[in-house]
Amino acid sequence: MTEFYQTGLGRKFYERDIPKIAESLSTIAEQLTRLNQNIEKLNENMSKPEKAE
């Protein structure tokens, strides 16, 4: 019986699809990090008392 990785679809999956998935996950992680940093900055700015003029 032919193993999945030996089929055309299997090769495509391992050689093209998996690397794309890994790249997408990396991009998502970077964007979540940026989002969290922005939320932290926003929270810091909101918790500072406003100066009276």
Side-chain angles (χ1 to χ4, degrees):
M1 186 165 124
T2 304
E3 297 292 329
F4 177 65
Y5 69 89
Q6 295 172 326
T7 67
L9 285 177
R11 282 193 300 277
K12 175 189 168 288
F13 178 74
Y14 287 111
E15 294 174 3
R16 192 169 60 202
D17 295 340
I18 292 293
K20 281 185 179 181
I21 291 169
E23 185 178 329
S24 295
L25 287 173
S26 178
T27 301
I28 290 168
E30 290 171 9
Q31 294 300 319
L32 282 173
T33 299
R34 286 184 57 209
L35 177 63
N36 284 334
Q37 290 169 345
N38 289 334
I39 289 172
E40 287 173 3
K41 286 179 187 176
L42 180 63
N43 285 336
E44 288 172 8
N45 290 337
M46 291 180 70
S47 65
K48 291 180 183 176
E50 292 186 24
K51 294 181 182 178
E53 294 183 29

